């Protein structure tokens, strides 16, 4: 969510992901920020007026049940700060490198939520 402080006091500014999205390549969808715990694939990443927009397919059956059933509905991401500034006791994140996107129980940004889930669909040719 752009412009809204997270639980750590960081505020992400619109455009912070612009360069990262051009270089993103394969950004993994992981479980609870655990390296190697890949639970699906990200199909689309972009910035919209609210923040980082993620469209992903959850391929891990257990994760799909938990997310699809509403037990886990937080969305978070791992990043590296490329540019930041201090403003009013908060850190403004101006440019970020995106490392991973995670399905989480308790996101740092309380408004970052999963809105819909697509589990395990594969194209057939």
């Amino acid at each position: 969510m752009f412009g809204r402080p997270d639980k750590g006091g960081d505020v992400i500014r619109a455009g912070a992901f612009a360069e990262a999205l051009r270089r993103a390549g394969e950004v993994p969808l992981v479980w609870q920020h655990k390296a190697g715990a890949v639970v699906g694939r990200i199909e689309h990443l972009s910035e919209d007026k609210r923040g980082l927009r993620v469209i992903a397919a959850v391929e891990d059956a257990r994760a799909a049940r938990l997310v699809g059933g509403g037990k886990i509905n937080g969305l978070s991401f791992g990043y590296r700060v490329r540019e930041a500034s201090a403003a009013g006791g908060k850190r403004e994140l101006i440019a970020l490198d995106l490392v991973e996107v995670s399905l989480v129980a308790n996101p740092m940004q309380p408004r970052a939520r999963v809105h819909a889930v697509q589990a395990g669909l594969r194209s057939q040719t």
Side-chain angles (χ1 to χ4, degrees):
M1 301 289 299
F2 294 138
R4 297 192 177 265
D6 66 16
K7 293 176 188 175
D10 288 343
V11 177
I12 299 174
R13 293 294 169 213
F17 295 103
E19 185 63 26
L21 296 177
R22 281 192 277 277
R23 297 187 325 264
E26 287 290 314
V27 176
L29 179 67
V30 301
W31 188 251
Q32 303 280 0
H33 293 295
K34 293 179 183 169
V38 177
V39 294
R41 70 184 182 287
I42 295 175
E43 298 177 342
H44 175 82
L45 287 171
S46 64
E47 287 189 2
D48 64 16
K49 64 183 180 181
R50 295 179 59 217
L52 182 65
R53 179 174 171 78
V54 178
I55 298 173
V58 179
E59 296 172 335
D60 178 89
R62 180 174 179 268
R65 280 193 309 276
L66 291 169
V67 175
K71 303 269 188 215
I72 299 289
N73 69 353
L75 193 62
S76 189
F77 54 87
Y79 59 89
R80 289 185 191 93
V81 177
R82 296 181 64 230
E83 183 181 349
S85 66
K90 302 201 181 314
R91 183 171 69 156
E92 291 189 354
L93 304 176
I94 299 164
L96 301 172
D97 282 330
L98 190 60
V99 176
E100 50 91 355
V101 175
S102 286
L103 297 169
V104 297
N106 190 19
M108 282 292 281
Q109 174 50 261
R111 293 178 178 218
R113 297 292 169 182
V114 173
H115 296 285
V117 177
Q118 179 178 2
L121 296 180
R122 297 191 188 277
S123 61
Q124 296 180 4
T125 49

